[in-house]
Amino acid sequence: MHLDGAAELFFALEWTRAQGHQLPEPLRSLLIEHIRAGGTDAMRFRMRRGYYDAQRTV
């Protein structure tokens, strides 16, 4: 699924280091909801670590 790839890319430490934590809404919220619904353990770990302020929405 495309959302899996997007979540893997945009929530990856390498991406956030290079591009910063600026991800436009509603993409950020869409990816957070996708990860919550069925993301991998790695995706959930990065989300819990606070990338894109996800800890405030979960």
Side-chain angles (χ1 to χ4, degrees), residues 23-46:
L23 199 63
E25 289 293 342
L27 179 58
R28 185 188 74 86
S29 294
L30 177 68
L31 293 176
I32 289 170
E33 288 304 315
H34 173 71
I35 292 169
R36 289 177 69 196
T40 65
D41 288 340
M43 288 180 202
R44 288 186 180 127
F45 173 80
R46 288 189 296 269

Side-chain angles (χ1 to χ4, degrees), residues 1-13 16 23 26-55 57-58:
M1 171 174 252
H2 295 315
L3 288 178
D4 285 342
E8 288 286 348
L9 172 65
F10 293 131
F11 279 66
L13 183 57
T16 57
L23 199 63
L27 179 58
R28 185 188 74 86
S29 294
L30 177 68
L31 293 176
I32 289 170
E33 288 304 315
H34 173 71
I35 292 169
R36 289 177 69 196
T40 65
D41 288 340
M43 288 180 202
R44 288 186 180 127
F45 173 80
R46 288 189 296 269
M47 188 174 69
R48 282 192 311 267
R49 298 291 296 176
Y51 295 164
Y52 302 107
D53 295 323
Q55 78 277 9
T57 61
V58 270

